[in-house]
């Protein structure tokens, strides 16, 4: 039997922090908006219909984590997705959720047909 080595607490903490980035719906919305090309903060504010402060807060968190890159042009800040792997992760989660929902729907149909 293969021995499992303990994971250092700081590694576990970093992994948990990375996953926590995706636990915020606004961040997922922003990632979706940035999927194909970069956008300035004002475009993201308009698309999400929320405050500039809220959008900027979430962009900063993702930028600090290395998921986004940022460039300034005049008075505008532009963001784009730097780590495209984030979409692979999101797609895998969405595929898994879709599979679970399909299984639940089948179970409900079976139950409904027996009632």
């Amino acid at each position: 039997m293969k021995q499992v080595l303990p994971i250092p607490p700081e590694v576990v903490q970093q992994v948990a922090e990375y996953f926590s980035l995706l636990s915020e719906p606004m961040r997922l919305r922003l990632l979706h908006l940035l999927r194909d090309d970069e956008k300035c903060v004002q475009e993201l504010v308009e698309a999400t219909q929320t405050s500039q402060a809220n959008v900027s807060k979430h962009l900063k968190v993702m930028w600090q984590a290395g998921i986004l890159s940022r460039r300034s042009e005049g008075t505008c800040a532009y963001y784009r997705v730097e780590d495209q792997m984030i979409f692979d992760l999101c797609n895998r989660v969405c595929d898994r959720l879709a599979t679970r929902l399909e299984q639940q729907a089948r179970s409900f149909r079976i139950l409904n047909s027996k009632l």
Side-chain angles (χ1 to χ4, degrees):
M1 185 171 175
K2 185 176 180 181
Q3 182 182 3
V4 178
L5 298 175
I7 302 172
E10 54 276 0
V11 171
V12 173
Q13 181 65 34
Q14 286 181 343
V15 171
E17 287 172 7
Y18 190 84
F19 277 110
S20 75
L21 292 169
L22 300 177
S23 68
E24 171 57 52
M26 178 57 69
R27 291 187 199 134
L28 294 174
R29 291 176 65 196
L30 292 167
L31 282 171
H32 177 71
L33 291 166
L34 292 167
R35 185 177 201 114
D36 295 324
D37 58 353
E38 74 175 8
K39 291 191 175 38
C40 72
V41 173
Q42 187 56 39
E43 289 175 292
L44 296 168
V45 168
E46 291 169 7
T48 58
Q49 297 182 334
T50 190
S51 70
Q52 186 268 332
N54 189 32
V55 168
S56 292
K57 173 184 74 171
H58 292 296
L59 291 170
K60 181 180 178 183
V61 168
M62 292 188 290
W63 174 72
Q64 288 176 329
I67 293 172
L68 301 180
S69 62
R70 178 184 174 201
R71 71 176 181 87
S72 295
E73 187 175 298
T75 59
C76 296
Y78 289 84
Y79 286 86
R80 71 178 180 87
V81 176
E82 186 67 29
D83 184 359
Q84 291 291 322
M85 189 272 312
I86 199 78
F87 295 121
D88 295 337
L89 182 58
C90 288
N91 289 340
R92 290 188 70 131
V93 170
C94 288
D95 288 346
R96 181 64 188 127
L97 290 173
T99 299
R100 287 179 57 201
L101 289 172
E102 289 164 1
Q103 290 170 345
Q104 288 177 346
R106 278 194 298 276
S107 296
F108 282 119
R109 281 195 217 68
I110 291 169
L111 178 63
N112 190 37
S113 70
K114 294 181 180 193
L115 293 177

